[in-house]
Amino acid sequence: MTDGMPRERDGRPDGDLAVLFARFAAERSGGAREVELAAWLLGRAVAAGDVCLDLRAAAEGAVDLPPGAGGPPPDLETWTRILARSPVVGAPGAASPLVLDAAGRLYLHRYWQYEDLLARRLLELAAARAEVDEGRLAGALTDLFPGGGSDPAQRRAAEAVARRRLAVVTGGPGTGKTTTAVRSLAALAAAWPGPGPGPRVALAAPTGKAAARLGEAAAALARELPPEGRAALPAAGITIHRLLGPLPGGTRFRHGPERPLPHDVVVVDEASMVDLPLMAKLAAALGPGARLVLLGDRDQLASVEAGAVLADVCDAAAGPLSGAVVVLERSHRFEARGGIGAVSRAVRDGDGDAAVRLLSGAAGEAAVLRPLPPPGRFEAALFDAVEARFRAVAAAGGPGEALERLSAFRVLCALRRGSAGAEAVNALVARRLSGRSGPAGGPAWFRGLPVLVTRNDPVTGLWNGDVGVFWPDPEAGGEFRVFFEGGEGGLRRFPPSRLPAHEPAFALTVHKSQGSEFDEVLLVLSHGPSEVLTRELLYTGLTRARRRVAVWSDPGLVRAAAARPTRRASGLADALRRGAAGGA
C-alpha cells in the first residue's frame, strides 16, 4: 500500500473508485507511485468523459494532480517504461486491466475494447460497397432533388446513404439533416436491388424525446414521397436502447453479434449524444449487409458518458472514410447575417467578442444578452420572466394542448446545482405555482406540472428524456395522471406511482435538452466561472431555440465559454485515419 494518494475525505474512508483502483494497481506493481498516479488520473479522466488518459499531456503538466501525489509525474519516456513493466498494464490486445498503446494512451481494458470494436466495425462498413440499382437510383435522385436541390450537399449525402454502408451527415440546426435522410431513404427504396419488399429501416435516437421528434418529422416528410419511399419508413422512431433490446439486470442487450438486428438500414439521429460503449454495441449488432447512417451536429455537446464518437468520426473524414462524411452548411432556419444563427456560428468558431456583440441588441431581437440577476434578486426576476408561460400550460384545454404549450418555451440552465442551476429553478417555479412551500423532498403535484423521465424503463416504455404533464384524466373519473406524447390517440397516461425516476421539467440542464427544440429559450449560465461553461455547452443551449433566445449571463462568461472547447482524449479518430484498429 502506497502513501501517495489521499486516504480519507471529510473524515470518512474515501470511496472514490478512481482512488481504490489506483491503490489496487499500485499494490500489484510493487507500490510504484507512477502506476498509482497514472491509474488515478485515468479513472478521473474516464469519469469526466475521456476514453483514455493522454500520458503525454499529463507528463507535460496539462492535468491537475491529486493532493499527496508526491510531486509531478515523470517524463513520458520514463513513465511509459515503468507502466510497460507493470503486471496490470498490457499492450493492445492483452488481457490486462490497463492497456497502453504506442501513442502513449492509457485505457481501462473495457474502453479499449469498445474503441477497438467500433473502429474495426466502422472501417469494415466504410470499405464495403452497398448493392443498389444505379439506373433507378439516378432517376430517384433527380425526382427527389430536382436540379441538384437547393443545397447540393444534400444530394451528395443522399448518394452516400444509397451507395455506402456507412454514411455520416453532419451540420448545424436547420441544415436539413432529417429531410435529407428521409429523402435518401426514399431514393434507396426506389433503387433497392432485386424483387420483393424494400429495405427494412429503423429510425433511432439516444433519448425518447429525440426518437419521437425523428419519427414525427419522418412522418410529416413522408407525405411528399412516392409510395415505395413511404413504405420504407417505420411508423415511429425508437430509442437505441429499445432497438437493441435491453436485458434485465445489467447493460447487456438482446441484439449483438450472435443475434444481429433484422434491419437493412439503421438511422441514428442526434448521434453526438451517443457514447462510445453504446455506439460500439450498436455497430456490433448490425446484420450482414446492413447500412449505418449517423445524423448529428458535431459541434454540440458530446455524450454524458465517455467518448465523442461523432466528432471523432468527422475528424477522420479523410482516408478510409473519405466520401462517407458529408457536411451540410446552409441553414434553412436561421438568418444568414444575424439572430441565433450568427451568434451560434460565432460561438462555434470561438469568437466570444463577436458573440457578445451580436447578443447585445434590442429587446425584440431573436438573440439577446441580459445580465444575470445576483443571487439575492434571481428568484424574483426569474419567476417574473417565466410565470405567464407556465401558467398558460396549466390553463390549457387538455393534456395535449398543455404539452404543446410546454414545448413552446423552456428554461435551460448551464448547471444542475447552484443558485442558478436547474434544481433551484425547478424548485422555485414549482413552489410559486403550487402556492405551497412543500416538504424537503419537493412541492406537491399540481395541474400542469411538467415531468422529465430520467431513467429508461422498458416496462412502461418510458425513456430517459421523455417529458409529460400532470393532468386530470376524464377517462379515470378525473384522477390525475401524467400524460406523454405517443401511443393510441396520440397520448399515453400513467399514474405518478408507475413512473420511473423523474423530476420537474420547468428547467432542464443544457445536457438534458439535447434532442429537444423549443420556440423560445431562456438560457441561464452561472453566477461565477465554471469548468462546465464550454463552447459546446453554449452552442448547444443557443441552438435549442427555433425563434428566440435570451441569455442571462455576464458578458465575460460568454467570452470565456466560447474560448473553452471541450477536448476528450480518445484514439478513435487516429484508428479511423490509419485504417487500422488495435492501437498499434
Side-chain angles (χ1 to χ4, degrees):
M1 181 73 70
T2 62
D3 294 324
M5 296 296 140
R7 290 296 189 275
E8 292 186 342
R9 180 177 297 167
D10 298 332
R12 302 185 309 275
D14 196 333
D16 188 329
L17 288 177
V19 173
L20 296 175
F21 180 72
R23 293 175 191 159
F24 160 81
E27 289 173 359
R28 297 299 186 275
S29 306
R33 182 188 75 88
E34 296 84 357
V35 175
E36 183 176 23
L37 178 60
W40 188 91
L41 291 173
L42 172 59
R44 188 179 65 175
V46 171
D50 292 318
V51 176
C52 56
L53 173 66
D54 183 344
L55 285 173
R56 183 180 300 277
E60 293 173 352
V63 297
D64 295 327
L65 299 179
D75 62 83
L76 179 63
E77 183 179 353
T78 301
W79 207 357
T80 54
R81 186 171 63 251
I82 293 171
L83 287 168
R85 291 200 301 262
S86 168
V88 300
V89 180
S96 55
L98 299 177
V99 174
L100 178 63
D101 74 5
R105 289 181 287 249
L106 186 67
Y107 294 81
L108 294 171
H109 189 268
R110 69 179 181 277
Y111 282 95
W112 178 84
Q113 283 186 312
Y114 288 139
E115 186 175 276
D116 180 64
L117 185 159
L118 180 59
R120 289 180 187 278
R121 196 70 179 99
L122 292 180
L123 288 168
E124 289 172 4
L125 292 170
R129 297 293 293 182
E131 187 180 355
V132 69
D133 186 311
E134 288 289 346
R136 283 186 283 159
L137 176 62
L141 290 172
T142 298
D143 292 341
L144 291 161
F145 300 91
S150 60
D151 184 353
Q154 292 187 354
R155 175 163 176 151
R156 290 199 303 274
E159 292 171 348
V161 170
R163 294 193 174 108
R164 295 176 174 272
R165 289 183 57 201
L166 173 66
V168 182
V169 183
T170 183
T175 53
K177 297 184 291 295
T178 305
T179 299
T180 301
V182 169
R183 291 179 179 174
S184 301
L185 293 171
L188 179 60
W192 195 247
R200 295 163 296 179
V201 176
L203 299 177
T207 68
K209 182 66 174 178
R213 282 186 54 236
L214 176 61
E216 291 163 3
L221 291 165
R223 302 186 188 104
E224 305 171 3
L225 299 180
E228 67 269 17
R230 290 196 298 271
L233 296 175
I238 188 172
T239 65
I240 299 174
H241 281 83
R242 286 185 65 192
L243 177 68
L244 293 174
L247 296 173
T251 58
R252 296 183 302 114
F253 293 99
R254 182 176 300 107
H255 291 288
E258 303 303 320
R259 188 179 180 182
L261 292 164
H263 305 90
D264 301 300
V265 185
V266 175
V267 179
V268 179
D269 196 14
E270 299 290 350
S272 64
M273 299 171 62
V274 185
D275 57 62
L276 173 65
L278 185 58
M279 190 68 85
K281 291 172 184 178
L282 175 63
L286 295 174
R291 292 167 164 86
L292 177 63
V293 181
L294 302 180
L295 312 175
D297 185 348
R298 63 153 299 161
D299 297 307
Q300 282 190 24
L301 280 165
S303 55
V304 175
E305 303 299 330
V309 173
L310 181 64
D312 284 344
V313 171
C314 292
D315 284 343
L321 267 60
S322 179
V325 180
V326 181
V327 181
L328 305 182
E329 296 182 342
R330 180 180 175 185
S331 177
H332 304 273
R333 180 189 305 169
F334 299 136
E335 297 178 6
R337 296 186 178 180
I340 299 170
V343 176
S344 61
R345 286 192 296 273
V347 170
R348 180 197 64 192
D349 296 340
D351 192 343
D353 290 336
V356 170
R357 184 173 63 253
L358 289 163
L359 284 166
S360 300
E365 295 191 7
V368 296
L369 176 65
R370 295 294 179 261
L372 177 62
R377 297 201 300 269
F378 175 74
E379 287 197 2
L382 187 284
F383 191 68
D384 283 347
V386 305
E387 179 181 11
R389 296 283 194 168
F390 291 126
R391 291 203 185 279
V393 173
E401 184 181 349
L403 287 167
E404 185 177 346
R405 292 185 180 185
L406 186 61
S407 69
F409 172 78
R410 200 63 55 88
V411 180
L412 303 184
C413 300
L415 306 180
R416 181 171 181 82
R417 298 180 177 86
S419 55
E423 288 182 351
V425 171
N426 278 320
L428 159 69
V429 177
R431 185 174 67 248
R432 294 286 189 94
L433 290 180
S434 68
R436 299 176 58 179
S437 60
W445 292 77
F446 57 92
R447 173 180 168 133
L449 175 71
V451 178
L452 173 72
V453 174
T454 59
R455 183 177 300 166
N456 294 332
D457 182 25
V459 176
T460 59
L462 294 171
W463 305 94
N464 183 16
D466 286 349
V467 174
V469 65
F470 191 61
W471 204 266
D473 183 1
E475 296 182 10
E479 290 188 15
F480 277 80
R481 298 285 188 266
V482 182
F483 287 79
F484 295 85
E485 293 177 348
E488 294 184 8
L491 293 174
R492 295 178 295 160
R493 64 204 75 194
F494 301 90
S497 60
R498 288 196 60 203
L499 298 184
H502 56 276
E503 60 190 32
F506 297 107
L508 306 176
T509 62
V510 175
H511 273 94
K512 283 289 188 183
S513 75
Q514 289 186 98
S516 299
E517 291 179 347
F518 310 96
D519 291 338
E520 299 187 25
V521 163
L522 172 56
L523 177 58
V524 179
L525 297 191
S526 66
H527 281 117
S530 169
E531 292 184 357
V532 171
L533 298 180
T534 64
R535 181 180 302 172
E536 292 79 8
L537 181 137
L538 183 55
Y539 174 88
T540 302
L542 289 166
T543 55
R544 296 311 86 203
R546 287 185 287 255
R547 299 178 184 172
R548 187 174 186 276
V549 59
V551 182
W552 283 15
S553 175
D554 178 90
L557 292 183
V558 173
R559 294 188 182 95
R564 186 185 296 119
T566 300
R567 294 185 176 90
R568 288 191 165 178
S570 163
L572 180 60
D574 281 353
L576 295 173
R577 290 190 198 99
R578 291 195 317 269

